[in-house]
């Protein structure tokens, strides 16, 4: 149970950094880095496919699964990999572009993210402090 709360505290603090980053870095930096940020967001499906393929491959190797399961999972990963470009385009259109526009234009949105970051960081710190005191 202690490990779970420790991980939760660390995750909250990690997310807090990313919520605070747009306000700390400022509008000028966001405009300059917009293309890089959008490309990073659009590569999430490829990264998930890679990790999923590695995990499935390791599981299949260590469990000595039958050829049927190997083929089935390979086909599923291949289909997902084939649709990665379509998913990337969807993410760019529905998430990346609107998010970047909102981050660059809306000071209120960046301030809201900064407040959420402060809350997440504080809660994560309190969780970790309680874990240290308990253990």
């Amino acid at each position: 149970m202690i490990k779970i709360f420790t991980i939760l505290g660390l995750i909250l603090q990690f997310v807090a950094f990313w919520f605070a980053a747009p306000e700390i870095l400022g509008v000028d930096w966001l405009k300059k880095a917009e293309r890089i940020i959008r490309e990073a967001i659009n590569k999430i499906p490829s990264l998930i496919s890679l990790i999923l393929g590695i995990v499935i491959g390791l599981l299949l190797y260590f469990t000595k699964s039958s050829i049927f399961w190997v083929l089935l999972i390979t086909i599923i990963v291949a289909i997902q990999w084939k649709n990665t470009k379509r998913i990337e385009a969807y993410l760019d259109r529905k998430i990346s572009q609107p998010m970047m526009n909102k981050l660059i234009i809306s000071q209120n949105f960046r301030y809201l993210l900064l407040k959420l970051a402060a809350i997440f960081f504080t809660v994560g710190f309190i969780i970790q402090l309680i874990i240290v005191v308990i253990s």
Side-chain angles (χ1 to χ4, degrees), residues 24-35:
I24 293 169
L25 296 172
V27 176
D28 293 334
W29 186 88
L30 287 170
K31 285 180 184 176
K32 291 177 189 173
E34 179 180 5
R35 183 183 55 81

Side-chain angles (χ1 to χ4, degrees), residues 5-73:
F5 282 112
T6 302
I7 292 171
L8 177 65
L10 290 172
I11 289 172
L12 285 172
Q13 290 176 336
F14 179 77
V15 171
F17 167 77
W18 292 106
F19 276 13
E23 183 64 21
I24 293 169
L25 296 172
V27 176
D28 293 334
W29 186 88
L30 287 170
K31 285 180 184 176
K32 291 177 189 173
E34 179 180 5
R35 183 183 55 81
I36 296 168
I37 294 169
R38 284 177 55 195
E39 286 176 6
I41 291 171
N42 293 342
K43 292 302 175 191
I44 290 173
S46 297
L47 182 63
I48 291 172
S49 294
L50 177 67
I51 292 170
L52 183 64
I54 290 170
V55 168
I56 290 171
L58 289 172
L59 287 174
L60 290 174
Y61 175 76
F62 288 114
T63 59
K64 307 289 187 218
S65 296
S66 68
I67 191 71
F68 170 75
W69 290 108
V70 172
L71 283 172
L72 179 66
I73 292 173

Side-chain angles (χ1 to χ4, degrees), residues 97-115:
Q97 288 177 350
M99 183 183 72
M100 288 308 300
N101 289 337
K102 202 165 196 174
L103 284 174
I104 291 172
I105 295 169
S106 176
Q107 184 177 358
N108 292 334
F109 184 68
R110 289 192 312 275
Y111 185 65
L112 172 69
L113 289 177
L114 186 62
K115 288 192 288 189

